[in-house]
Amino acid sequence: MNFEDILYEVRNGVAWITINRPEKMNAFRGTTCDELIRALNKAGYDKAVGCIVLAGAGDKAFCTGGDQSAHDGNYDGRGTIGLPMEELHTAIRDVPKPVIARVQGYAIGGGNVLATICDLTIVSEKAIMGQVGPKMGSVDPGYGTAFLARVVGEKKAREIWYLNKRYSGQEAVAMGLANVCVPHEQLDATVQEWAETICERSPTAIAIAKRSFNMDTAHQAGIAGMGMYALKLYYDTEESREGVAALKDKRKPDFRKYAK
């Protein structure tokens, strides 16, 4: 497979899928999402692969969500909001192999959602996680909210979305958003070690376990689908566009003047 926005490599039975847009803090555009979906399905159904790692290139960011330079009321790809987010999130959940998020830096916005959805999340001491949607005129009304509440609890999930604070790797572990926080220089070795351990397990048992975990929250796919339609309508409002405009103008947004 030829990719433009991602890198694909198999290391000792572990498929590493890396968002390769470090100049954009690994923010995703339409092409990125489509390539991630293709790569996840390639690895997910390759019998030589036992585990998948989702990573971001460079030292600064795992992923910082949707590329705002490709967003003006709609992103530049396909799907309800111009990004096939429902398909990408479903791919992570549906491939019959565990997906490990390797977080070495910023996991913000949609990037934080990806780290949340992955089966396991391993972060370095340089990791910074959190949400910015309500500061930017956006929100993730599906897995990024409903599933997050299952992961960290209702109160913490609401704090993350309402206050838009940033959290360290250690804080992410403490709230259940990550499995372990390791020294930065040990991150890759730890991720590979965990992944290779999974590769030694029964693939059928692992697949059944993953499906079983997912069954408890399968209804959230419906929430996500409906939520994306609501988000599309929101993106068509001046209130939402104020977030992008303020970012471009390097000023604080004034959402209240557009609120109805």
Side-chain angles (χ1 to χ4, degrees), residues 40-52:
L40 283 161
N41 282 296
K42 173 181 173 63
Y45 297 96
D46 182 348
K47 292 183 179 179
V49 171
C51 188
I52 302 168

Side-chain angles (χ1 to χ4, degrees), residues 31-151:
T31 299
T32 320
C33 293
D34 281 331
E35 292 184 352
L36 286 171
I37 293 166
R38 286 169 54 204
L40 283 161
N41 282 296
K42 173 181 173 63
Y45 297 96
D46 182 348
K47 292 183 179 179
V49 171
C51 188
I52 302 168
V53 173
L54 183 60
D59 280 336
K60 292 185 178 180
F62 164 70
C63 176
T64 54
D67 185 352
Q68 294 301 307
S69 66
H71 177 41
D72 185 15
N74 201 51
Y75 287 96
D76 66 338
R78 60 188 178 84
T80 308
I81 62 170
L83 291 173
M85 297 313 302
E86 301 101 308
E87 289 183 47
L88 177 54
H89 294 165
T90 296
I92 293 172
R93 284 172 59 87
D94 281 2
V95 291
K97 295 164 187 176
V99 182
I100 301 176
R102 168 206 178 265
V103 180
Q104 85 286 24
Y106 288 100
I108 302 295
N112 192 70
V113 176
L114 295 181
T116 302
I117 296 174
C118 285
D119 296 273
L120 301 168
T121 301
I122 300 176
V123 303
S124 93
E125 292 176 338
K126 294 184 179 181
I128 301 173
M129 309 182 77
Q131 280 300 335
V132 293
K135 292 174 65 176
M136 295 298 302
S138 184
V139 67
D140 187 310
Y143 288 114
T145 46
F147 186 67
L148 179 67
R150 289 292 188 99
V151 173

